[in-house]
Amino acid sequence: MSVTQKPPLVAVEGLRKSFGQVEVLRGVDFTVEEGQAVALVGSSGSGKSTCLRCINRLEEATGGSIRLDGVETTGPKVDLNDLRRHIGMVFQGINLYPHMTALGNVALALRKVVGLSKAEAAKKAMHHLHLVGLAHKGDAYPAQLSGGQQQRVGIARAMALEPRVMLFDEPTSALDPELVGEVLNVMTRTREMGMTMIVVTHEMGFAREVADKVIFMEHGEVLAQGTPHEILVAPDNPRIRDFVQRSRG
């Protein structure tokens, strides 16, 4: 008797996206297995962030398909609120509600989306603030937090919904250099907890150390994909070799 093979947790096939006459994604294909960390790397403008936004349905794909655990997510009948419970996202910009405390920012979706009581949401929110090292900042407002702390609250907020996969869109790009490490450390711990992750990043050291698979994008296409060693340490492709050398400074 044959054993039914489990589908990848995320499967992107032939993904295309155009803005007017400009084709930003030109048939992107990749899969992400449950528990994998995948890094999307490449030059600015190569389509990495647009790819993430299509997976989360913040952008509508022009063509191709995206499946979450074998289920198509790009159809018109998909419940977007339910989909985004399963696909958490942390953005480049830090988009916390300024009038709410760190605890309030994390608890809000637990009340509005999950339907927890105020007390239950606060308890779970505090647990996730603890996981990102900010339990002592629960009563602080975003203006009282550093950029790195704000981004860590953003990670806690996304993680609190217990998504199947986390998308990180260059979460350190808006931070001062000395604050980058604290966010990468939280992301590393998130990875160690077994969370499936797709990370758009320019932090090549992080991609080498944390990713199971690296996907190099160029002009809206996947130029190569493989292990961190194959793509970022000893790449065959001269274009990727040049990128890696430049990223080392």
Side-chain angles (χ1 to χ4, degrees):
M1 189 175 75
S2 64
V3 178
T4 303
Q5 189 172 7
K6 197 171 187 293
L9 184 57
V10 180
V12 177
E13 186 175 339
L15 182 62
R16 295 183 175 274
K17 174 63 180 176
S18 297
F19 294 99
Q21 299 298 309
V22 180
E23 194 172 30
V24 179
L25 298 176
R26 310 170 184 225
V28 171
D29 297 286
F30 65 87
T31 60
V32 183
E33 302 295 334
E34 190 157 18
Q36 259 192 337
V38 174
L40 294 182
V41 304
S43 301
S44 296
S46 58
K48 307 182 299 297
S49 294
T50 300
C51 183
L52 278 199
R53 292 173 69 84
C54 286
I55 293 172
N56 193 278
R57 291 286 298 272
L58 290 169
E59 298 287 355
E60 295 297 333
T62 308
S65 74
I66 302 167
R67 292 184 177 85
L68 178 67
D69 209 7
V71 178
E72 180 67 48
T73 65
T74 50
K77 296 180 180 178
V78 172
D79 182 337
L80 292 185
N81 286 332
D82 183 63
L83 177 70
R84 289 174 186 150
R85 277 189 64 178
H86 298 296
I87 304 178
M89 189 156 183
V90 178
F91 299 87
Q92 294 180 30
I94 301 164
N95 54 349
L96 301 180
Y97 291 109
H99 63 287
M100 301 180 77
T101 64
L103 185 68
N105 267 279
V106 179
L108 181 64
L110 291 169
R111 290 165 52 207
K112 300 292 187 184
V113 178
V114 183
L116 297 185
S117 69
K118 191 171 183 180
E120 290 172 323
K123 182 178 178 181
K124 191 167 185 178
M126 185 55 75
H127 168 71
H128 283 276
L129 284 175
H130 173 74
L131 291 179
V132 300
L134 289 175
H136 63 297
K137 293 288 188 180
D139 293 332
Y141 289 88
Q144 298 169 309
L145 300 172
S146 70
Q149 289 171 333
Q150 290 181 50
Q151 195 60 292
R152 284 153 62 193
V153 173
I155 294 172
R157 179 175 60 183
M159 289 285 291
L161 293 175
E162 299 180 351
R164 300 288 307 279
V165 58
M166 282 282 290
L167 311 179
F168 292 89
D169 186 10
E170 296 193 41
T172 59
S173 65
L175 301 179
D176 293 333
E178 66 268 22
L179 301 177
V180 169
E182 66 183 75
V183 174
L184 294 181
N185 287 339
V186 167
M187 292 171 64
T188 300
R189 289 204 300 276
T190 301
R191 167 76 187 92
E192 291 167 352
M193 288 162 55
M195 175 58 69
T196 308
M197 298 166 56
I198 308 175
V199 184
V200 171
T201 185
H202 283 107
E203 301 290 338
M204 294 301 109
F206 174 81
R208 281 194 302 273
E209 292 164 21
V210 175
D212 299 295
K213 178 162 69 175
V214 176
I215 297 169
F216 188 94
M217 291 186 64
E218 178 92 337
H219 301 310
E221 299 175 329
V222 173
L223 194 58
Q225 54 183 304
T227 66
H229 187 271
E230 289 168 336
I231 304 300
L232 298 178
V233 179
D236 292 334
N237 188 298
R239 170 68 192 96
I240 300 175
R241 221 165 25 238
D242 177 61
F243 173 85
V244 170
Q245 288 170 351
R246 284 189 290 110
S247 69
R248 287 174 182 154

